[in-house]
């Protein structure tokens, strides 16, 4: 493999290129008209413009990207995350054009992309699943029968969904008809597939996922868990590895089950198996993400493994570079996603120019970044600026590193989620490890936000006064002289 095309943009495109360069592999970037001078475009050995700014006119044009790959004699395509990364048709088209897709087979993507097909595939492997009915539901009568069997509340989910889209909670029988109708119509318009199914609603779960790797020689390993319970509107904001609630026994069991999930769909490459964990530490398989995830760096910190390097090796037909028993968790890592959003205004997108953009540096601090000073944040794409990842020997040390690194970020021109990160990493619920997926809803309340804003303006006022008094003092000394 001499040359790979990265079918993505921003920090993840750069992340993949860094490892490719390290391995002596040439890189090709694709970019849209909005990204002519973007860092990922400049970072690659070659770069090709593939269309207009909107994703569906550029980064989502699978056939066009494959054309470019063929013209430039590319050996493999890395899809990153988002865009075409979990598009089974794209993976198939890449395969059919005799280009290596750095990811799983299109058939595995298709199986795991449909939640009902995924449940069906893992059924034979004796993996804990949320109580429910693993078939598409059409009638409210059928839904009521299932609900009575498993007990309210229930959750109606779209088979083609994932990431929380098209989910409806139902608390009592009288709401079934309405919510079923809504779920089917949402699923139809969002995915072009109205199949929905029913699960018991797990009320305050933690989101814990296991990183797996599978090679073409039949080896499948897991690289422990990441916890991603701090989310808002199904958007992860903080992730960590390891989770503070897993025991070594539970970790081993979930790891083994994640490996079974990977085997159930004949997996290849890097993937993530998502579980919900309830208050009593029961865990349930939810879904499998068939891509490299945003939060993969926390796993890299605690294992010392370069996941992109493993992906590339596996795609070349080589074995995973280590065995399960070689792996040990070392230390603790945290990730904060730095979005161009105003945390204090309901996480509204914050648009503008990065008039100042300085990143923290230091031992145990990693910033995966896709922006630079002077750049505008394009409105066309995901508003994530960078990922701040910190490492410590202990969880507390990683948290302290976070707080220092957040302070050392210097961003002007737009609002970011850095102040929200500070809130999380200082919060007792987070520092004690006693939190769940409702963290944001439970603690980041209007009152709390008001208090933070008031405190900040007080500090700003005091700072201004101090500067003013110092300036006055200097002025007087100058007058005396
Ligand atoms: C659930 C659930 C409770 N019970 N399934 C949200 C995204 C998708 N991957 C699955 N999700 C959930 N499925 C059952 N049976 C709660 C969620 C959920 C959630 C999961 C992980 C992290 C954050 C979440 C926020 C709201 C709901």
């Amino acid at each position: 493999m001499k040359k790979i095309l990265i079918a993505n943009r921003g920090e993840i495109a750069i992340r993949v290129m860094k490892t490719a360069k390290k391995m002596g592999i040439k890189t090709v970037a694709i970019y849209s008209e909005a990204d002519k001078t973007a860092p990922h475009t400049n970072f690659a050995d070659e770069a090709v413009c593939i269309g207009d700014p909107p994703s569906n006119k550029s980064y989502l044009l699978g056939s066009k990207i494959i054309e470019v790959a063929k013209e430039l004699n590319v050996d493999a395509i890395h899809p990153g995350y988002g865009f075409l990364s979990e598009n089974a048709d794209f993976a198939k088209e890449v395969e059919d054009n005799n280009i290596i897709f750095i990811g799983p087979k299109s058939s595995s993507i298709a199986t795991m992309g449909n939640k009902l097909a995924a449940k069906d595939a893992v059924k034979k492997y004796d993996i804990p699943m949320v109580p429910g009915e693993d078939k598409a539901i059409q009638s409210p009568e059928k839904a009521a029968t299932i609900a009575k069997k498993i007990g309210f509340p229930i959750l109606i989910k779209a088979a083609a969904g994932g990431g929380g889209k098209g989910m409806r909670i139902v608390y009592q029988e009288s709401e079934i008809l309405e919510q079923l109708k809504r779920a089917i119509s949402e699923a139809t318009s969002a995915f072009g597939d109205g199949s929905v199914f029913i699960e018991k609603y797990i009320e305050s779960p933690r989101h814990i996922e296991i990183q797996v790797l599978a090679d073409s020689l039949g080896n499948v390993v897991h690289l422990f868990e990441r916890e991603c319970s701090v989310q808002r509107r199904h958007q992860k904001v903080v992730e960590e590895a390891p989770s503070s609630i897993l025991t070594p026994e539970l970790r081993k069991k979930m790891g083994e089950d994640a490996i079974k999930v990977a085997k159930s769909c004949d997996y290849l490459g890097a993937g993530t198996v998502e579980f919900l964990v309830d208050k009593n530490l029961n865990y349930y398989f939810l879904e499998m993400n068939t891509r490299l995830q945003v939060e993969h760096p926390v796993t890299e910190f605690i294992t010392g493994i370069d996941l992109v390097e493993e992906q590339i090796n596996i795609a070349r037909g080589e074995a995973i570079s280590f065995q399960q028993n070689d792996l040990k968790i070392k230390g603790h890592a945290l990730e904060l996603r730095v979005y161009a959003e105003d945390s204090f205004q309901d996480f509204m997108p914050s648009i503008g120019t990065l008039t100042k953009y300085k990143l923290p540096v230091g031992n145990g601090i990693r910033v995966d970044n896709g922006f630079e000073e002077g750049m505008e944040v394009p409105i066309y794409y995901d508003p994530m600026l960078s990922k701040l990842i910190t490492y410590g020997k202990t969880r507390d040390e990683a948290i302290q590193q976070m707080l220092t690194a957040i302070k050392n970020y210097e961003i002007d021109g737009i609002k970011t989620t850095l102040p929200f990160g500070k809130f999380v990493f200082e919060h007792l619920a987070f520092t004690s490890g006693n939190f769940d997926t409702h963290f944001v809803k439970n603690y980041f309340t209007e009152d709390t936000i008001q208090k933070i804003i008031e405190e900040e303006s007080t500090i700003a006022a005091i700072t201004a006064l101090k500067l003013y008094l110092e300036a006055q003092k200097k002025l007087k000394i100058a007058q005396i002289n």
Side-chain angles (χ1 to χ4, degrees):
M1 198 181 282
K2 294 190 187 71
K3 199 197 265 193
I4 68 174
L5 180 149
I6 296 87
N8 216 300
R9 65 181 298 283
E11 67 86 18
I12 194 61
I14 295 171
R15 158 73 192 90
V16 172
M17 289 180 209
K18 278 186 179 164
T19 289
K21 288 189 178 189
K22 183 179 86 179
M23 298 171 79
I25 299 170
K26 293 271 179 251
T27 57
V28 177
I30 53 162
Y31 63 94
S32 75
E33 294 284 351
D35 282 338
K36 272 184 177 160
T37 58
H40 88 273
T41 307
N42 292 324
F43 196 77
D45 296 307
E46 292 172 87
V48 181
C49 182
I50 42 141
D52 291 336
S55 303
N56 62 0
K57 298 209 156 56
S58 51
Y59 297 104
L60 288 172
L61 294 177
S63 305
K64 181 106 187 251
I65 293 168
I66 291 168
E67 239 173 71
V68 169
K70 293 205 314 204
E71 269 164 35
L72 297 186
N73 279 315
V74 160
D75 303 301
I77 295 179
H78 194 301
Y81 55 70
F83 294 125
L84 295 164
S85 61
E86 292 178 284
N87 185 318
D89 294 337
F90 176 67
K92 178 84 176 40
E93 200 179 329
V94 175
E95 289 163 19
D96 290 347
N97 279 279
N98 292 316
I99 299 169
I100 299 169
F101 182 75
I102 304 179
K105 285 175 278 242
S106 59
S107 56
S108 313
I109 300 176
T111 302
M112 289 301 161
N114 184 298
K115 308 308 153 209
L116 286 172
K119 279 177 192 262
D120 216 49
V122 305
K123 228 174 235 159
K124 336 184 234 312
Y125 289 82
D126 192 30
I127 289 155
M129 310 256 250
V130 187
E133 175 89 4
D134 310 335
K135 282 191 215 66
I137 301 288
Q138 266 105 23
S139 80
E141 291 77 23
K142 180 78 186 152
T145 310
I146 297 162
K148 277 181 204 150
K149 198 171 80 197
I150 62 177
F152 286 99
I154 58 162
L155 190 59
I156 307 176
K157 291 183 171 181
K165 255 183 258 159
M167 297 194 333
R168 319 283 323 183
I169 306 170
V170 185
Y171 291 96
Q172 54 194 48
E173 190 173 350
S174 62
E175 298 165 357
I176 289 181
L177 178 63
E178 178 64 23
Q179 298 293 30
L180 185 66
K181 267 202 284 191
R182 282 201 195 168
I184 292 173
S185 115
E186 257 177 51
T188 309
S189 61
F191 313 112
D193 173 0
S195 339
V196 299
F197 63 99
I198 290 176
E199 280 182 356
K200 171 129 191 90
Y201 179 60
I202 311 291
E203 304 234 18
S204 294
R206 297 175 69 129
H207 172 130
I208 296 183
E209 56 186 34
I210 309 278
Q211 176 71 54
V212 296
L213 283 173
D215 66 26
S216 59
L217 294 96
N219 305 300
V220 189
V221 297
H222 73 84
L223 292 90
F224 314 112
E225 78 280 6
R226 294 184 287 262
E227 164 139 23
C228 320
S229 294
V230 181
Q231 316 204 353
R232 46 116 210 144
R233 287 185 236 120
H234 303 296
Q235 173 96 275
K236 295 168 184 167
V237 194
V238 169
E239 300 104 338
E240 66 179 317
S243 162
S244 49
I245 55 157
L246 291 199
T247 60
E249 294 73 35
L250 195 53
R251 175 172 295 123
K252 186 160 181 283
K253 264 182 75 191
M254 289 176 75
E256 285 165 359
D257 280 351
I259 288 174
K260 288 187 205 165
V261 171
K263 287 185 173 161
S264 80
C265 65
D266 194 19
Y267 203 74
L268 186 71
T272 299
V273 181
E274 273 187 33
F275 294 97
L276 288 182
V277 180
D278 71 16
K279 286 203 164 63
N280 303 316
L281 293 185
N282 297 306
Y283 66 91
Y284 309 94
F285 166 66
L286 260 197
E287 51 193 75
M288 180 169 191
N289 301 318
T290 56
R291 60 170 189 275
L292 182 71
Q293 295 209 197
V294 176
E295 60 272 26
H296 76 276
V298 292
T299 300
E300 297 187 319
F301 255 139
I302 64 153
T303 59
I305 301 296
D306 180 333
L307 285 167
V308 175
E309 187 174 345
E310 296 298 327
Q311 282 189 301
I312 291 173
N313 282 337
I314 290 166
R316 296 196 285 206
E318 294 164 21
I320 298 164
S321 74
F322 58 90
Q323 291 183 348
Q324 189 69 60
N325 288 333
D326 302 333
L327 278 190
K328 245 188 82 191
I329 296 179
K330 196 162 164 273
H332 202 99
L334 295 168
E335 176 176 277
L336 171 65
R337 300 192 189 185
V338 183
Y339 287 103
E341 290 174 350
D342 188 348
S343 322
F344 300 137
Q345 296 286 336
D346 202 25
F347 296 94
M348 279 270 289
S350 177
I351 48 172
T353 303
L354 292 165
T355 51
K356 189 181 218 178
Y357 193 65
K358 300 253 179 338
L359 305 174
V361 285
N363 224 337
I365 294 171
R366 165 174 167 180
V367 182
D368 282 16
N369 173 45
F371 283 79
E372 59 197 14
E373 203 163 280
M375 252 177 92
E376 243 176 79
V377 180
I379 52 164
Y380 304 99
Y381 317 111
D382 183 87
M384 195 176 75
L385 299 175
S386 61
K387 306 184 303 206
L388 169 60
I389 310 110
T390 64
Y391 177 80
K393 285 191 292 296
T394 63
R395 187 168 187 268
D396 287 341
E397 208 180 291
I399 291 175
Q400 283 316 309
Q401 288 261 61
M402 262 292 171
L403 292 170
T404 309
I406 289 171
K407 234 187 304 182
N408 292 339
Y409 251 97
E410 293 177 54
I411 304 184
D412 281 341
I414 55 157
K415 298 267 197 283
T416 73
T417 46
L418 283 168
F420 173 75
K422 179 171 181 284
F423 171 83
V424 174
F425 297 119
E426 283 176 340
H427 201 285
L428 185 63
F430 186 82
T431 55
S432 68
N434 183 19
F435 59 99
D436 57 44
T437 48
H438 302 301
F439 179 92
V440 177
K441 189 184 74 190
N442 286 350
Y443 303 117
F444 201 58
T445 57
E446 261 323 303
D447 284 1
T448 310
I449 293 167
Q450 275 317 312
K451 251 186 233 142
I452 296 172
I453 293 172
E454 273 162 33
E455 271 167 33
E456 286 198 341
S457 40
T458 308
I459 291 167
I462 293 170
T463 312
L465 178 65
K466 219 177 120 197
L467 289 174
Y468 171 78
L469 292 176
E470 274 165 17
Q472 286 290 307
K473 211 155 72 187
K474 275 188 204 142
L475 198 65
K476 278 182 195 148
I477 293 168
Q479 279 168 351
I480 292 165
N481 291 332

